[in-house]
Amino acid sequence: MLGDKEFHTVRLDSDRCKGCINCMKRCPTEAIRVRNGKATILYDRCIGCGECIRACAHQAKRAVYDPFDLIHDYEYKVALPAPSLYGQFHNLDDINVVLEGLLKLGFDMVYEVAQGAELISDFTRKYMAGNPKKPVISSACPAVVELILIRFHRLKENLLPVIAPVDVAAKLAREKAVRESGLPPEKIGVFFISPCPAKVFALHRGLGADANLVDGVLAESEVYFRLLDAMKSVKNPRPLAQCGIVGIGWASSGGESAGVLRDNYLAADGVENCISVLEEIEDEKIQDVDFVELNACPGGCVGGVLNIENPFVAKARIQALRKYMPVSKNNLKEVPHEKDFYLWNNDPEIMPVFKLDQNMFVALQKMQKVEELLAGLPRLDCGACGAPSCRAFAEDVVNGLVPESACERREKKG
Ligand code: SF4
Ligand code: SF4
């Protein structure tokens, strides 16, 4: 349900889970435990990055998104395709074929998220000129924003306090749909076609922006198979595309930075690389960079787990498509210039999920207990106890989640 703060985008199918611990070892926020042969997710730590879905060879982890047929609940249907969608098709030389295909699937209007991205690129350039705290960290990847909120609290003030391209596209698309259809807003359904679970998570919960900007979030992988058929019958596509190189460039790592038009930027992708960069910023080791673009998925949004294609192939295809496109199609006279249109109106809150206790005194006592326990553990981080590291195991013991005896290799007292 949209606006549900408890919404979770990754689910476990216990019947399929073999307890192999692969997902637990890969989760960047230690959000997984494997107990009694089955994985469980500590949802307050989950950032929706999808690493566990990538790691599970048994398809026991899956992303949650809205069913395609939800679009039929609305009289007028609007599709918001992410730019990564264009990289999924073999031999595509014109993105208008994809946009026409979406109309054939039953949508009445298509509004590209890449258009929203171009507007944000423009707004970011102005924001950077205002001398904000450096480096400014992009807020476009919701998994990275969540990571900062739960693990790098001090860096929240470096985040670009701007809504996502899909939020901008959704607001403008709904206004346009009301104008063109003459229908009241509640009869209009706006649907994002997402490359990753983190964006499903962000839109359902409302990260930075209101949660009701879209009426549903569909998976790129599901729409892809429907589109394959629909696109076959597109012979002479109309020039529907409204984005340029800047907008579709956001599909892969470095694209957003290129749109900011600054030389001293840093772009990293893959959640472990993002964590290394955030640690270095926190330790003030990165000081000569103005803008930092971080994408939790390998290669950027083209690497999201709801895509079909290998991220490197998708990136190459998008690069080829860019050849025949203008730099940007932003007609700045027709788009909103007010600052408030772009800035967060729903300030994301820091979540101290790694604190051992809300009471500082009790937390210090627990920390001491953790250190004592750790001294008797083999520090192998083997995962046999069902926790991702010996430290995580000691914390679980101190928090009463698991008995000390769950580690068979610990030094026995007495
Ligand atoms: S990777 Fe995780 S969810 Fe998949 S089988 Fe192994 S323990 Fe279970
Ligand atoms: S989606 Fe990412 S953060 Fe959430 S449980 Fe899976 S690996 Fe961990």
Side-chain angles (χ1 to χ4, degrees):
M1 199 180 70
L2 290 154
D4 178 2
K5 293 280 170 209
E6 298 303 311
F7 175 84
H8 301 297
T9 189
V10 178
R11 301 257 167 90
L12 172 82
D13 179 345
S14 281
D15 292 342
R16 286 176 175 259
C17 178
K18 308 280 183 238
C20 69
I21 77 168
N22 283 343
C23 59
M24 184 181 82
K25 297 303 275 182
R26 287 269 295 277
C27 177
T29 54
E30 298 196 327
I32 299 174
R33 300 291 183 272
V34 180
R35 303 253 151 83
N36 303 319
K38 301 285 179 191
T40 54
I41 302 175
L42 310 177
Y43 277 116
D44 59 343
R45 296 180 177 201
C46 177
I47 57 171
C49 64
E51 278 298 302
C52 54
I53 299 174
R54 279 190 196 93
C56 182
H58 305 281
Q59 287 81 46
K61 288 269 173 60
R62 65 176 183 89
V64 179
Y65 44 83
D66 294 306
F68 186 86
D69 286 341
L70 190 62
I71 72 167
H72 302 304
D73 289 359
Y74 296 85
E75 217 166 293
Y76 193 89
K77 308 154 186 66
V78 182
L80 307 177
S84 48
L85 181 66
Y86 310 135
Q88 307 304 308
F89 304 95
H90 292 284
N91 303 321
L92 179 75
D93 56 9
D94 181 358
I95 62 176
N96 289 305
V97 178
V98 179
L99 305 181
E100 287 279 14
L102 286 167
L103 296 176
K104 284 185 182 291
L105 288 185
F107 290 102
D108 300 287
M109 188 178 113
V110 181
Y111 200 103
E112 296 154 275
V113 172
Q115 281 181 264
E118 292 192 349
L119 292 170
I120 291 191
S121 295
D122 183 58
F123 183 79
T124 306
R125 288 196 288 277
K126 292 182 192 134
Y127 179 84
M128 298 293 290
N131 211 15
K133 185 170 169 46
K134 306 272 177 58
V136 170
I137 304 174
S138 161
S139 54
C141 174
V144 170
V145 175
E146 292 279 342
L147 189 58
I148 289 173
L149 295 176
I150 72 167
R151 194 171 150 182
F152 296 95
H153 300 167
R154 277 203 294 125
L155 300 184
K156 191 197 158 194
E157 59 191 73
N158 294 66
L159 275 170
L160 182 67
V162 162
I163 59 175
V166 58
D167 301 326
V168 169
K171 287 202 221 185
L172 295 174
R174 197 177 296 274
E175 284 171 14
K176 189 174 175 207
V178 168
R179 271 196 317 271
E180 294 194 354
S181 69
L183 291 167
E186 63 275 13
K187 302 227 178 236
I188 292 167
V190 178
F191 294 88
F192 176 47
I193 303 169
S194 177
C196 74
K199 292 190 201 293
V200 184
F201 191 66
L203 282 160
H204 269 263
R205 287 186 172 209
L207 182 69
D210 294 331
N212 57 359
L213 293 180
V214 298
D215 299 288
V217 189
L218 313 175
E220 253 183 41
S221 49
E222 206 177 291
V223 175
Y224 168 86
F225 288 107
R226 293 171 188 257
L227 265 175
L228 279 184
D229 259 359
M231 283 164 56
K232 276 186 203 146
S233 58
V234 176
K235 297 294 173 230
N236 295 302
R238 290 162 290 170
L240 300 171
Q242 290 298 320
C243 70
I245 291 173
V246 170
I248 70 163
W250 279 60
S252 44
S253 178
E256 180 187 0
S257 304
V260 177
L261 305 180
R262 292 224 165 201
D263 291 334
N264 50 345
Y265 71 84
L266 180 161
D269 57 282
V271 73
E272 287 306 330
N273 294 330
C274 292
I275 289 171
S276 306
V277 171
L278 292 171
E279 283 171 349
E280 296 218 351
I281 299 174
E282 204 170 48
D283 294 344
E284 297 181 5
K285 289 185 186 155
I286 296 179
Q287 292 184 335
D288 47 356
V289 165
D290 282 350
F291 187 77
V292 174
E293 175 190 339
L294 299 174
N295 288 284
C297 291
C301 294
V302 285
V305 293
L306 296 179
N307 286 303
I308 293 289
E309 194 49 274
N310 169 310
F312 303 103
V313 172
K315 183 176 178 179
R317 285 190 189 145
I318 288 175
Q319 259 160 356
L321 281 168
R322 284 160 41 132
K323 251 192 272 171
Y324 306 104
M325 296 177 80
V327 173
S328 161
K329 275 207 181 173
N330 233 344
N331 182 347
L332 296 176
K333 287 202 188 94
E334 287 175 15
V335 296
H337 288 83
E338 311 87 49
K339 220 166 130 195
D340 289 351
F341 182 86
Y342 298 99
L343 292 175
W344 282 337
N345 63 340
N346 185 8
D347 194 27
E349 284 171 23
I350 279 171
M351 295 170 281
V353 297
F354 293 105
K355 254 191 183 171
L356 286 169
D357 202 280
Q358 294 311 315
N359 178 308
M360 179 72 93
F361 180 69
V362 179
L364 284 171
Q365 283 179 324
K366 285 187 172 178
M367 208 182 294
Q368 195 182 345
K369 196 98 187 32
V370 166
E371 296 303 330
E372 285 164 17
L373 269 167
L374 258 176
L377 296 176
R379 307 295 285 258
L380 294 172
D381 296 340
C382 65
C385 61
S389 63
C390 293
R391 179 170 288 278
F393 172 70
E395 289 172 359
D396 288 354
V397 173
V398 167
N399 279 326
L401 301 175
V402 67
E404 205 178 326
S405 57
C407 173
E408 305 211 332
R409 301 182 182 194
R410 75 193 192 287
E411 274 174 26
K412 310 249 170 38
K413 288 173 198 137

